Amino acid sequence: MSLHIYDTATRQLREFQPLQEGRVGLYICGLTTQGSPHIGHVRFAVAFDILRRWLTIGHAYDVTLVRNVTDIDDKILDKARANDAQWFAWSYEHERQTSDALDLLGVGRPTYEPRATGHVTDMVELMETLIEKGHAYAAPDDSGDVYFDVRSWPAYGELTHQNIDDMEDAADADPRGKRDPRDFALWKGRKSDEPESASWPTPFGRGRPGWHLECSAMARRWLGETFDIHGGGIDLRFPHHENELAQSRAAGMDFARYWMHNGWVTLGGEKMSKSLGNTLAVTEITKTVRPLVLRYYLGAVHYRSTIEYHEGSLDEAAAAVSRIEGFLERALGGAPTAFDAGLPQAFSAAMDDDLNVSGALAVVFDTVREGNIALDEHESAKARELALQVVAMTDVLGVNPYAPEWASDGGDRSGLALGSLVDALIDQRAAARAAKDFAAADRVRDQLAAAGVVVEDTADGARWSLAEATTEQT
């Protein structure tokens, strides 16, 4: 089987063919370290962690993953000033918080995690190349600003399929020195009210890099002028990724061969963001919800789909995790020393179809159901084999309950106990229905409903979830 991914540049599902056989270069735009991470922030990291796992486990690729840190930015300077803090201290504190949050969610560390401030020389070199090639210019007012000339690059707009005349003005710098209001900043001259430490010398004056220039320079430094996949949130397609692509190709690089973008986490239909005041911090959620459950929740839908957060969302995820853990506890009793049972073909086919995690999880739960039936029929060897397949599949998705990252996730085995008890009662109900003792079957269903467990009868057997909490109105 071959992996196919949806390339947002071509708007097509494309067979993935790496630049170098057996190796994959993957660049992901990381977070701007302006504040504490919420679940909307970290969704991208979970989505691309699953991609990395599938490339590694499913296809045996050697993956070089670069996830940058934007540690100098207008927002960082503004937030630091508002909190009477030095910008670099403010940035580093939130970089650490982000790293801790991703560790908590079982997201693997990148191969390289470059900071923008460590690559200023690379950025100046790239900027000078663009000026030499006639694609960039210094502002004529000696402000130190340098802009990319969008009309000098006829392909500008190719990533998002926009006509340049239909684009909004670039709002990332003062337009006073621009030839065209859509020209974007490669370099921002230092302003009098900004700290001296937030600027670097260039032939055009002291200043700091524009956001777009940062990523092009860091990707080039760590992955070369051509690499396989560039990823990030769907909100980065324009202007950030469009501008990255334009300046990189204008400088003579082929840049990314595939572009992948994950969907948002929304609340009330709106993108979860600090500006909306509807954030849910990872550290706050994990005070009451196991990190494994939160990880499952963020990775359980297709990466390009929007996740709409609502009250009860995490209860549903907790029930799903408990069902997996309950079966594994029944079948294995403890962590297996190895889980090389192999991946079911249907699971691999789903993952190769643009990382269809929903389809892959359907295979996981079908295997759990089949395994529980095997246990009920005292086929322990078959149940163990199926359990090892479940462990292998959940390992790909980053939600293997036996993985070392979950050893201290706050679980007290209550999830295992709940899953085992509910599955046992559902099995009793199934046996009563098979014996046409419908009164007994209804009693079991009522018993589960009273405990907040909803049972849904499907063609593939009964499925269960935790009922959403309701608030009585008076």
Side-chain angles (χ1 to χ4, degrees):
M1 293 184 289
S2 59
L3 171 63
H4 287 74
I5 59 177
Y6 183 82
D7 176 21
T8 47
T10 61
R11 297 178 179 177
Q12 293 180 342
L13 197 65
R14 295 175 56 200
E15 182 178 1
F16 178 69
Q17 296 285 351
L19 185 66
Q20 293 180 268
E21 185 175 355
R23 302 178 65 86
V24 175
L26 171 60
Y27 185 90
I28 308 170
C29 284
L31 295 182
T32 301
T33 50
Q34 70 193 56
S36 302
H38 59 64
I39 60 173
H41 285 142
V42 300
R43 194 267 171 102
F44 86 97
V46 172
F48 286 101
D49 186 61
I50 293 173
L51 170 64
R52 180 195 202 178
R53 287 170 179 267
W54 185 238
L55 289 170
T56 303
I57 298 172
H59 290 275
Y61 287 124
D62 179 5
V63 179
T64 298
L65 170 63
V66 179
R67 187 180 69 219
N68 77 293
V69 177
T70 300
D71 62 340
I72 181 68
D73 177 84
D74 290 348
K75 294 178 181 178
I76 293 172
L77 295 179
D78 291 343
K79 289 289 181 67
R81 185 185 301 113
N83 288 274
D84 195 25
Q86 296 193 71
W87 69 270
F88 48 83
W90 182 264
S91 177
Y92 185 57
E93 169 59 25
H94 293 103
E95 178 185 338
R96 291 178 62 182
Q97 289 184 19
T98 300
S99 295
D100 290 346
L102 297 183
D103 286 345
L104 194 64
L105 296 177
V107 174
R109 294 286 181 94
T111 312
Y112 306 112
E113 193 168 22
R115 295 190 184 104
T117 53
H119 294 75
V120 171
T121 301
D122 295 312
M123 297 172 201
V124 172
E125 180 183 350
L126 178 55
M127 182 167 56
E128 290 179 328
T129 297
L130 288 168
I131 291 174
E132 290 169 6
K133 288 179 174 287
H135 297 298
Y137 59 94
D141 58 2
D142 296 323
S143 62
D145 293 344
V146 179
Y147 303 109
F148 182 85
D149 183 350
V150 295
R151 292 196 180 275
S152 74
W153 186 245
Y156 187 64
E158 63 182 314
L159 179 65
T160 51
H161 300 269
Q162 296 185 79
N163 185 296
I164 190 170
D165 294 318
D166 298 328
M167 295 180 185
E168 296 180 355
D169 296 350
D172 59 350
D174 194 313
R176 64 186 182 280
K178 294 184 178 183
R179 296 173 182 170
D180 187 294
R182 300 168 187 82
D183 291 349
F184 58 86
L186 298 174
W187 195 259
K188 299 182 179 184
R190 178 178 175 267
K191 297 178 177 61
S192 60
D193 62 343
E194 294 178 347
E196 181 77 13
S197 60
S199 65
W200 290 262
T202 75
F204 318 102
R206 291 193 67 88
R208 54 190 169 83
W211 179 29
H212 318 304
L213 185 71
E214 293 177 347
C215 283
S216 286
M218 287 185 281
R220 181 189 200 182
R221 165 62 66 180
W222 295 102
L223 292 174
E225 297 195 346
T226 308
F227 57 94
D228 294 299
I229 302 171
H230 194 312
I234 190 66
D235 51 321
L236 299 183
R237 287 176 64 241
F238 188 88
H240 184 46
H241 289 166
E242 186 72 74
N243 293 350
E244 270 190 75
L245 178 61
Q247 67 195 9
S248 298
R249 291 200 169 162
M253 296 184 272
D254 286 336
F255 211 54
R257 301 171 65 243
Y258 299 82
W259 290 83
M260 298 178 70
H261 293 91
N262 63 274
W264 288 338
V265 178
T266 59
L267 183 62
E270 295 185 87
K271 176 192 172 186
M272 192 171 290
S273 67
K274 291 187 180 297
S275 61
L276 291 175
N278 57 9
T279 61
L280 288 166
V282 173
T283 51
E284 289 301 310
I285 292 178
T286 51
K287 288 178 180 177
T288 56
V289 175
R290 294 168 60 198
L292 171 57
V293 170
L294 181 55
R295 161 75 188 227
Y296 180 95
Y297 170 71
L298 292 172
V301 301
H302 193 279
Y303 74 93
R304 287 192 284 121
S305 299
T306 297
I307 299 175
E308 171 64 17
Y309 182 86
H310 59 85
E311 187 177 358
S313 292
L314 295 174
D315 289 338
E316 296 169 5
V321 170
S322 292
R323 190 175 177 201
I324 292 169
E325 291 180 318
F327 165 61
L328 294 179
E329 180 75 0
R330 291 182 70 198
L332 300 175
T337 55
F339 46 92
D340 55 355
L343 295 166
Q345 184 176 354
F347 177 89
S348 297
M351 293 299 292
D352 275 340
D353 182 16
D354 193 34
L355 304 182
N356 180 4
V357 171
S358 298
L361 280 171
V363 180
V364 171
F365 286 108
D366 284 345
T367 307
V368 167
R369 180 180 58 82
E370 188 179 352
N372 278 321
I373 292 173
L375 286 170
D376 293 341
E377 295 176 352
H378 307 291
E379 297 178 4
S380 58
K382 179 180 179 181
R384 179 177 175 79
E385 180 183 352
L386 292 168
L388 292 176
Q389 289 182 11
V390 170
V391 173
M393 289 187 283
T394 55
D395 201 59
V396 168
L397 301 176
V399 291
N400 170 14
Y402 296 122
E405 53 263 34
W406 310 123
S408 59
D409 82 337
D412 58 359
R413 304 183 74 80
S414 60
L416 299 176
L418 173 65
S420 295
L421 290 171
V422 172
D423 285 334
L425 285 171
I426 286 178
D427 291 342
Q428 289 179 24
R429 178 173 174 267
R433 286 163 61 92
K436 300 189 183 301
D437 187 351
F438 299 111
D442 288 344
R443 282 196 298 273
V444 172
R445 188 186 190 105
D446 292 343
Q447 197 176 356
L448 289 167
V453 177
V454 177
V455 179
E456 178 188 5
D457 291 312
T458 73
D460 296 322
R463 298 183 184 275
W464 65 271
S465 62
L466 296 180
E468 291 189 25
T470 57
T471 302
E472 293 186 1
Q473 301 292 323
T474 58

